[in-house]
Amino acid sequence: DGGITQSPKYLFRKEGQNVTLSCEQNLNHDAMYWYRQDPGQGLRLIYYSQIVNDFQKGDIAEGYSVSREKKESFPLTVTSAQKNPTAFYLCASSQRVSQPQHFGDGTRLSIL
Amino acid sequence: GDSVTQMEGPVTLSEEAFLTINCTYTATGYPSLFWYVQYPGEGLQLLLKATKADDKGSNKGFEATYRKETTSFHLEKGSVQVSDSAVYFCALSDLEDDKIIFGKGTRLHILP
């Protein structure tokens, strides 16, 4: 089955530590996205990528970094500069930007 | 810029009741409109879509009609079930802006 796989499902970060969230898709989609979801809030766009080796900042990129070295993969690093990282992180993909998006099941990040 | 406004939740209904979740939008171009659903602990799933005025999207008993004159895309279901309890997101994509914009989501509780 085609889809998006996010791992891990739960992740804990110590103060001052960088952590990387994995996102892999086998849908052959060009565009990939990272969103942050806080309780009672909608989705906020962190980064998105339209093609390999290219990505753009979304609305809340500070404290995060991404790479897009392969079409299937779009990992997100939450750096120590992100002072409030506790949230639910969602990865998505689409054939191209503005097309309907397919979502992974999310990674819940918490601070120890 | 483009925006999506949904009715605030939570919305609580009894099983077999009629559901309406309001969604209105502002857009400079001719957007496509979507409803996504998020079940607890999961990512978003595309529920239905409409790409032009007067189109009706439908899936799993849910319907929404693209009303250009009222800039609305209200979600309806004639008889809800407990399993419909989830968060529902209205969204639009505008080819001119080349991105998707999500509403803040509406949480739906269905009581048995």
Side-chain angles (χ1 to χ4, degrees), chain A residues 37 97-99 101 103-104, chain B residues 36 38 43-44 93 95 98 100:
Chain A
Q37 188 176 27
V97 175
S98 80
Q99 292 293 305
Q101 295 178 5
F103 284 80
Chain B
Y36 287 82
Q38 184 180 30
L44 280 68
S93 76
L95 287 177
D98 207 21
I100 288 187

Side-chain angles (χ1 to χ4, degrees), chain B residues 4-42:
Chain B
V4 174
T5 303
Q6 308 182 216
M7 61 188 295
E8 289 194 21
V11 173
T12 303
L13 296 172
S14 297
E15 204 166 23
E16 299 182 5
F18 184 87
L19 168 71
T20 300
I21 299 178
N22 290 339
C23 172
T24 58
Y25 67 90
T26 58
T28 52
Y30 298 93
S32 294
L33 301 173
F34 311 95
W35 277 101
Y36 287 82
V37 58
Q38 184 180 30
Y39 298 103
E42 297 183 8

Side-chain angles (χ1 to χ4, degrees), chain A residues 14-92:
Chain A
K14 295 180 181 178
E15 295 285 344
Q17 187 181 47
N18 293 352
V19 291
T20 297
L21 284 60
S22 170
C23 178
E24 303 278 332
Q25 55 101 357
N26 60 4
L27 298 166
N28 201 34
H29 285 169
D30 287 323
M32 297 187 75
Y33 316 79
W34 275 105
Y35 293 94
R36 171 177 171 143
Q37 188 176 27
D38 293 285
Q41 303 279 327
L43 303 177
R44 291 189 288 172
L45 182 64
I46 303 172
Y47 271 97
Y48 67 103
S49 167
Q50 298 186 61
I51 56 172
V52 174
N53 292 322
D54 187 47
F55 48 83
Q56 288 78 41
K57 293 182 179 180
D59 301 318
I60 56 165
E62 186 173 348
Y64 301 97
S65 66
V66 293
S67 63
R68 187 87 186 275
E69 297 176 2
K70 298 186 297 182
K71 188 174 186 178
E72 316 82 70
S73 179
F74 192 42
L76 173 74
T77 297
V78 183
T79 75
S80 57
Q82 173 49 245
K83 297 306 179 188
N84 184 23
T86 298
F88 189 52
Y89 291 87
L90 287 165
C91 179

